[in-house]
Amino acid sequence: MSQPIRLALVGMGKIAHDQHVPAIAGNADIALVATVSRHGDGIEGTPHFHDLDALIASGIAIEAVALCTPPQVRRAIAMQAIAQGWHVFLEKPPGATLAEVAQLQAAADAAGVSLFASWHSRYAPGVEPARAFLADAAIASVTVTWREDIRVWHPGQAWILEAGGFGVFDPGINALSIVTRILPRAFFVTEADLDFPANCDSPIAARVRFTDDAGLPIAADFDFRQEGPQSWDIVVATDAGTLTLHDGGARLVLPDGTEPSQSEALHGEYAGLYARFAAIVRTGESDVDIAPLRHVADAFLRGRRHVVEAFIE
Ligand code: NAP
């Protein structure tokens, strides 16, 4: 087996600690050789730097970076990494705008490095079996309900409700990453209602309608103010009955009530992401699908803006 890919993790916040560090530790193809973050000491036993300049100056040999900062600052860090000849793993969403991602893709291609726009929800265990089932189904409607409590899941993350932070589309883009994967045909936004708290520049709730060439109704309800039970569900009505993906894609229930064997659940979404990243680095490819980001951008373009109660954390 070849040597592990020497990777630095950048932006040591919640997702870096909760998911990236354990997923890298469980992948023999990747070695975590440094961490980068403005504050804190990273993780014990691994060299830590406060910015990419300091990492570069250290002379530590790096082949790849995984960027776990908020989206507003990801492009500049990614460009710096690509200029070093490093492969780049982008947390979702891959950028704050579509043009940023196009620039990163062009720069990565020119530098001959791999760029990975990761969509972790696509690696949830119910997603591929749902896609296989729907490939031949006559689909009648799709309903997405993605309602979670921002205070529980994102405490102290002020960037989410700032401009470029995506607001409720931070979780909502995960639903869109699944829907764009499981539906057999392309679809597009027809209307959107976006609720902006009086003191925020990103929406705290959104209702978005989509359709496709055949007139399929697709409705998405995204809300960051959900107290009590949380919902991350996608319901697809077909001529053969209703398919439901629960828990962000973790649990699939087919129309006959069966739940396909989901042994991949043992490995987790981030194990799948790092396996994919290692594979594309080895083969010299990039994997950049902007479809979920395009739908969010289109929801902003099509959206009616409503001002709602100020958000106080
Ligand atoms: P977070 O806890 O706020 O962590 C982000 C880290 O990035 C911060 O700890 C911060 O570390 C660094 N950072 C913040 N502002 C920065 C800036 N202006 N310049 C450079 N670095 C900055 O956020 P998170 O939840 O980990 O989310 C990060 C990304 O992962 C988001 O795109 C999110 O959508 C994605 N994600 C999150 C989750 C989740 O459940 N939380 C799940 C999947 C994906 P320093 O202050 O030390 O620099």
Side-chain angles (χ1 to χ4, degrees):
M1 191 171 139
S2 45
Q3 291 294 309
I5 298 158
R6 297 173 59 83
L7 179 132
L9 204 43
V10 183
M12 296 302 292
K14 182 168 171 27
I15 201 63
H17 284 286
D18 289 358
Q19 298 292 342
H20 287 255
V21 170
I24 293 165
N27 187 327
D29 238 3
I30 314 263
L32 181 61
V33 297
T35 57
V36 180
S37 212
R38 298 165 309 170
H39 307 99
D41 301 321
I43 52 175
E44 206 178 330
T46 302
H48 182 74
F49 303 90
H50 289 292
D51 56 35
L52 228 56
D53 287 335
L55 171 63
I56 295 163
S58 76
I60 292 179
I62 302 290
E63 295 169 273
V65 288
L67 305 187
C68 305
T69 64
Q72 291 100 323
V73 297
R74 203 168 288 144
R75 185 205 65 85
I77 301 171
M79 286 299 285
Q80 200 180 356
I82 291 168
Q84 292 297 313
W86 299 342
H87 308 287
V88 177
F89 175 137
L90 301 166
E91 248 304 347
K92 48 70 43 172
T97 68
L98 289 163
E100 284 184 6
V101 183
Q103 189 208 20
L104 290 178
Q105 175 76 80
D109 288 351
V113 300
S114 297
L115 183 68
F116 184 33
S118 72
W119 299 109
H120 67 87
S121 292
R122 287 184 174 175
Y123 292 77
V127 172
E128 288 308 309
R131 173 181 163 90
F133 182 88
L134 293 172
D136 303 318
I139 302 172
S141 67
V142 181
T143 308
V144 176
T145 308
W146 226 254
R147 300 174 69 94
E148 66 178 53
D149 190 341
I150 186 174
R151 294 184 172 92
V152 171
W153 302 104
H154 303 281
Q157 295 180 352
W159 59 265
I160 285 195
L161 289 171
E162 292 169 1
F166 286 68
V168 75
F169 289 107
D170 175 82
I173 203 168
N174 297 333
L176 295 172
S177 76
I178 294 175
V179 179
T180 49
R181 179 74 189 156
I182 64 175
L183 293 188
R185 289 191 302 272
F187 56 93
F188 44 88
V189 174
T190 54
E191 55 180 314
D193 287 280
L194 311 179
D195 295 342
F196 287 78
N199 58 343
C200 298
D201 288 323
S202 279
I204 199 156
R207 295 158 300 285
V208 188
R209 297 269 188 280
F210 308 81
T211 195
D212 68 3
D213 234 11
L216 175 69
I218 303 173
D221 175 17
F222 303 121
D223 206 313
F224 241 159
R225 302 163 299 189
Q226 178 76 16
E227 295 177 5
Q230 309 282 289
S231 305
W232 297 282
D233 299 326
I234 298 170
V235 178
V236 185
T238 77
D239 60 342
T242 299
L243 169 157
T244 307
L245 273 168
H246 296 283
D247 304 333
R251 191 173 146 236
L252 171 66
V253 182
L254 291 175
D256 64 2
T258 58
E259 300 188 21
S261 155
Q262 293 171 2
S263 55
E264 307 95 299
L266 297 173
H267 304 296
E269 296 174 5
Y270 279 76
L273 287 179
Y274 272 99
R276 174 73 182 146
F277 184 56
I280 65 170
V281 168
R282 298 291 188 213
T283 56
E285 298 164 79
S286 285
D287 178 348
V288 181
D289 177 10
I290 57 151
L293 180 61
R294 195 164 49 205
H295 286 308
V296 171
D298 285 356
F300 278 91
L301 284 169
R302 274 286 203 173
R304 287 178 286 261
R305 180 190 172 97
H306 309 281
V307 177
V308 299
E309 193 180 335
F311 176 73
I312 313 294
E313 179 149 11

